[in-house]
């Protein structure tokens, strides 16, 4: 099913997973997916070759998602991709029934200054997809606190607008712990004419070092409540995780009161922690836990 169709009927609920590294088996992730399906997600997104590694393995995951009767969203980047290769990838997606892609520039591998492909930015990739394979439903990334490499918040929003002009169907946001900043972003872009449905990406707080690394590498702010958790548990991963999960439950509640069209959980393939958080937030679970 196309994500636009889902969004036309309800607020979507979905998960992101990442594929195994090259040479690693799929089975552990298939087990994770079986657990995540118990929350009846509207779709599952799978990342694409972040940092230039394991590029292309996402198709195996999307295939399994579709075969299990669920909707998949494949991330799709223009890192190192020429036009012909990108068409081949799109056709391989469509051949297995993928109807949704997230058009991204991609994280540039260390030492790269550009994509080394035919497109420098996601808006160009998006226009190409819409021209060559118009039946695909295409989402784009958005940054509530500005993309870390953007010259300014204003220019970043202008590029988001050009993604809308080039035919984007929805936007999914980067992690943002500061829900007030998220609300300001939404008000600002709506005021500037960005009408795309917004699917809020939520990064659960589970691991201290990982939380710090992801937050800083994306240039995101740390609200006082999260900063206290980070400061309070420097040496106790279990206490940090417990407090982080409780915090994430509160973040979910805040997001759901935030005028979003969809909630997308960055699962990090951690189904046990994610299940506990979602049950804590009152989500229904097929096993009725
Ligand atoms: P762009 O839209 O191209 O923006 C990149 C920078 O260039 C921004 O600073 C922007 O302001 C600027 N810019 C945009 N358009 C133009 C233009 N036309 N001319 C000049 N400057 C411009 N990465 C992966 O490698 N694999 C993944 O699977 C993946 N999944 C993601 C999922 C989500 C929901 C999000 C939010 C990010 C994901 N990323 C992934 C990370 C993403 O690839 C990086 O954030 C990347 O640095 C930017 O991608 P983008 O599509 O936003 O790029």
């Amino acid at each position: 099913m196309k994500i636009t169709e889902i969004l036309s009927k309800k607020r979507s609920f979905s998960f992101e997973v990442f594929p195994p590294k090259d040479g690693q088996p799929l089975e552990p992730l298939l087990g994770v997916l079986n657990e995540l399906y118990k929350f009846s997600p509207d779709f599952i997104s799978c990342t694409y070759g972040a940092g230039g590694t394991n590029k292309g393995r996402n198709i195996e995951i999307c295939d399994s998602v579709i075969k299990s009767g669920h909707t998949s969203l494949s991330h799709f980047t223009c890192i190192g991709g020429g036009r012909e290769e990108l068409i081949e990838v799109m056709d391989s997606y469509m051949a297995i029934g993928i109807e949704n892609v997230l058009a991204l520039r991609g994280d540039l591998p260390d030492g790269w200054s550009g994509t080394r492909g035919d497109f420098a930015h996601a808006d160009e990739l998006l226009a190409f997809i819409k021209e060559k394979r118009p039946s695909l439903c295409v989402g784009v990334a958005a940054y509530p606190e500005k993309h870390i490499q953007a010259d300014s918040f204003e220019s970043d929003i202008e590029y988001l607008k050009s993604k809308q002009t080039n035919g984007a169907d929805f936007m999914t946001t980067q992690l943002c712990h500061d829900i007030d900043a998220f609300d300001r972003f939404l008000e600002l872009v709506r005021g500037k004419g960005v009408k795309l449905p917004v699917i809020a990406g939520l990064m659960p707080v589970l691991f201290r070092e990982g939380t710090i690394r992801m937050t800083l590498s994306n240039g995101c702010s740390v609200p006082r409540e999260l900063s206290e958790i980070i400061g309070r548990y420097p040496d106790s991963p279990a206490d940090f995780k417990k407090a982080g999960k409780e915090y994430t439950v509160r973040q979910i509640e805040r997001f759901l009161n935030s005028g979003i069209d969809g909630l997308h959980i960055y699962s990090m393939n951690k189904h046990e922690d994610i299940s506990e958080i979602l049950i804590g937030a009152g989500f229904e679970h097929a096993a009725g836990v």
Side-chain angles (χ1 to χ4, degrees):
M1 188 186 287
K2 289 195 175 148
I3 290 173
T4 38
E5 198 182 328
I6 298 168
L7 293 170
S8 70
K9 294 181 188 145
K10 62 182 293 236
R11 179 160 60 198
S12 66
F13 172 65
S14 52
F15 295 110
E16 176 189 283
V17 297
F18 58 85
K21 291 197 168 66
D22 282 337
Q24 297 293 313
L26 283 186
E27 285 65 28
L29 179 52
L30 301 185
V32 167
L33 285 168
N34 282 333
E35 292 303 318
L36 297 179
Y37 294 152
K38 292 179 181 167
F39 290 96
S40 307
D42 294 302
F43 66 90
I44 302 281
S45 87
C46 184
T47 63
Y48 185 92
T53 58
N54 65 349
K55 191 171 164 181
R57 282 209 83 183
N58 60 340
I59 195 163
E60 299 167 70
I61 302 302
C62 293
D63 190 35
S64 124
V65 168
I66 290 168
K67 285 187 174 137
S68 72
H70 294 85
T71 296
S72 79
L73 164 66
S74 185
H75 297 201
F76 185 38
T77 83
C78 51
I79 297 275
R83 285 180 171 75
E84 281 179 22
E85 185 197 339
L86 293 169
I87 287 187
E88 273 173 31
V89 178
M90 282 191 274
D91 286 344
S92 62
Y93 287 160
M94 293 170 76
I96 62 159
I98 295 177
E99 295 179 273
N100 307 287
V101 296
L102 190 67
L104 299 155
R105 181 193 69 181
D107 282 324
L108 300 177
D110 281 348
W112 290 34
S113 56
T115 62
R116 302 188 190 174
D118 282 343
F119 303 113
H121 288 286
D123 56 351
E124 299 166 19
L125 172 65
L126 167 71
F128 182 69
I129 299 171
K130 285 290 178 180
E131 181 199 337
K132 300 295 181 189
R133 297 296 180 266
S135 65
L136 285 169
C137 172
V138 190
V140 292
Y143 300 85
E145 295 182 274
K146 177 180 110 53
H147 182 259
I148 190 156
Q149 293 159 342
D151 294 335
S152 67
F153 205 20
E154 289 67 30
S155 71
D156 211 28
I157 290 173
E158 283 308 309
Y159 293 128
L160 178 60
K161 275 183 83 172
S162 76
K163 290 175 181 179
Q164 175 171 276
T165 307
N166 289 359
D169 293 299
F170 62 92
M171 55 180 166
T172 306
T173 56
Q174 183 57 284
L175 77 93
C176 176
H177 299 298
D178 184 342
I179 312 286
D180 291 338
F182 183 92
D183 288 342
R184 285 195 297 276
F185 161 79
L186 212 48
E187 201 182 329
L188 183 65
V189 297
R190 295 295 185 231
K192 289 189 178 283
V194 177
K195 297 183 175 130
L196 297 173
V198 59
I199 298 179
L202 180 135
M203 179 63 75
V205 172
L206 299 175
F207 307 101
R208 189 174 184 273
E209 298 315 317
T211 298
I212 295 170
R213 190 178 59 250
M214 286 295 293
T215 304
L216 296 187
S217 66
N218 285 294
C220 297
S221 46
V222 181
R224 177 167 179 93
E225 197 180 339
L226 177 56
S227 143
E228 281 190 14
I229 296 170
I230 292 171
R232 199 177 295 157
Y233 305 111
D235 303 316
S236 172
D239 288 332
F240 179 86
K241 190 185 269 193
K242 181 173 181 297
K245 283 182 191 169
E246 289 164 3
Y247 173 75
T248 306
V249 169
R250 293 192 290 279
Q251 291 290 88
I252 289 176
E253 287 159 0
R254 289 171 187 141
F255 263 128
L256 293 177
N257 286 319
S258 206
I260 56 173
D261 300 288
L263 180 69
H264 189 59
I265 310 282
Y266 296 124
S267 82
M268 298 180 278
N269 299 0
K270 301 286 178 203
H271 71 83
E272 288 173 358
D273 295 321
I274 300 300
S275 297
E276 209 181 300
I277 289 168
L278 290 175
I279 289 165
F283 279 65
E284 284 185 27
H285 185 258
V289 180

